[in-house]
Amino acid sequence: MKKHIMNVLIGQCIWGLLPLFWLLLQQVPSLYILANRIIWSAVLCVIILFIQKKFSLSVCLRQIKKEWLYILGACLMITCNWAIFIYSMTHEYILQSSLAYFVNPVVVIFFGGILFHEPLSRLQKLAVFFASLGFVIAIFLYGEVPYIAILTCATWAAYSLLKKRITLDSLLSVGLESISMVPFALLFIFFSEWNHIGAYGVLTGWQWLLLPATGPVTAIPMLFFTAGIKYAPITVSGICLYVSPTLSLIIGLLTGEAFTFPLQITFFFTGISIILYLTGLFLQYKQ
């Protein structure tokens, strides 16, 4: 049991510290970084799939035929989420990205109740209410829309819900999501370099190694997390979900991002919703 909890924690810690990695690529255009992340993630996924002997073309084709709409939707949502995340890391929006992942479990519960008719407990409804209240107050009273947080949260929640509809092996599914976007990523890199808006002339020496490193830093925490989340107790894994955004929040504050009053209000109400969410999770686990 300890091993599974440690796997979840390691995955969350790596995710939480990733802003430090993305800051090293701050001078490179966000979409160019995204294109490299897609390519190198696909390469790593293919290697792992062949090592584990999970790659089967016939199985893939059968599953894609049945679930192509969900796979396509998941592919688009994760690509958008990656793009927004990289932009937030390299344009001083780390705090908003952190906020998104704080509130994300509550948003997933909310959409799960609407789309899949999953019953919501009173505490879960209150958690959704307080999380929404924080955003509403920030928007209407202070005129500041935390759009990065909203878009990050919405795309990740949509991706999570679409993945519930996909029966394909999780690693194979992630591999397909990356591989399907590789042609577009290669075209974009070629276009960027042809028009002198890529990484050439921006990165020098060892910095070129950062681009292929985008693959491992994407896949490694996911592998740790998925290895542990299946077997870790639900209350422990629920709490662990907040390790990553907490570390990102600290990094955002230490790098000098402005912790504006509207953002403070949103974080305050999000904190209340998290307490309610975790309390409900604990009571559910006890039952």
Side-chain angles (χ1 to χ4, degrees), residues 51-164:
I51 290 173
Q52 295 185 357
K53 298 180 180 178
K54 285 187 175 181
F55 186 80
S56 171
L57 187 59
S58 59
V59 172
C60 284
L61 291 174
R62 282 201 303 270
Q63 292 299 112
I64 290 171
K65 188 176 179 180
K66 292 178 184 177
E67 304 171 350
W68 70 269
L69 194 60
Y70 299 122
I71 293 171
L72 176 63
C75 181
L76 292 173
M77 285 301 103
I78 195 61
T79 303
C80 290
N81 181 264
W82 282 6
I84 298 162
F85 178 76
I86 292 169
Y87 179 85
S88 66
M89 294 296 106
T90 55
H91 288 78
E92 299 183 354
Y93 287 107
I94 297 175
L95 292 180
Q96 284 204 39
S97 180
S98 168
L99 173 62
Y101 289 106
F102 270 119
V103 78
N104 187 67
V106 178
V107 174
V108 171
I109 286 173
F110 174 67
F111 282 114
I114 291 176
L115 298 177
F116 299 116
H117 307 291
E118 296 177 358
L120 299 180
S121 68
R122 187 175 298 175
L123 283 174
Q124 287 175 330
K125 289 177 181 176
L126 280 171
V128 171
F129 170 75
F130 277 106
S132 305
L133 185 62
F135 281 99
V136 170
I137 290 174
I139 292 168
F140 288 100
L141 292 186
Y142 299 95
E144 183 174 313
V145 181
Y147 62 93
I148 292 291
I150 292 170
L151 289 173
T152 302
C153 195
T155 51
W156 184 256
Y159 174 71
S160 302
L161 293 169
L162 284 165
K163 292 290 279 187
K164 289 186 72 172

Side-chain angles (χ1 to χ4, degrees), residues 132-196:
S132 305
L133 185 62
F135 281 99
V136 170
I137 290 174
I139 292 168
F140 288 100
L141 292 186
Y142 299 95
E144 183 174 313
V145 181
Y147 62 93
I148 292 291
I150 292 170
L151 289 173
T152 302
C153 195
T155 51
W156 184 256
Y159 174 71
S160 302
L161 293 169
L162 284 165
K163 292 290 279 187
K164 289 186 72 172
R165 294 289 193 179
I166 299 171
T167 57
L168 200 62
D169 176 84
S170 57
L171 182 58
L172 197 54
S173 176
V174 171
L176 280 174
E177 290 159 15
S178 299
I179 293 165
S180 60
M181 296 301 292
V182 166
F184 302 102
L186 287 169
L187 282 172
F188 183 80
I189 289 174
F190 178 77
F191 171 82
S192 298
E193 295 298 351
W194 183 265
N195 290 278
H196 310 291

Side-chain angles (χ1 to χ4, degrees), residues 216-265:
V217 300
T218 299
I220 290 171
M222 180 64 78
L223 291 173
F224 272 109
F225 183 74
T226 52
I229 197 69
K230 283 186 179 181
Y231 306 104
I234 190 170
T235 48
V236 177
S237 59
I239 293 169
C240 287
L241 289 175
Y242 295 103
V243 171
S244 169
T246 300
L247 290 172
S248 296
L249 173 64
I250 294 168
I251 291 170
L253 293 172
L254 291 176
T255 53
E257 280 194 27
F259 197 27
T260 61
F261 189 55
L263 206 52
Q264 290 174 32
I265 287 176

Side-chain angles (χ1 to χ4, degrees), residues 29-48:
S30 300
L31 289 177
Y32 189 91
I33 300 171
L34 173 64
N36 274 273
R37 186 177 184 180
I38 289 169
I39 292 166
W40 293 108
S41 296
V43 169
L44 192 61
C45 283
V46 168
I47 291 170
I48 294 170

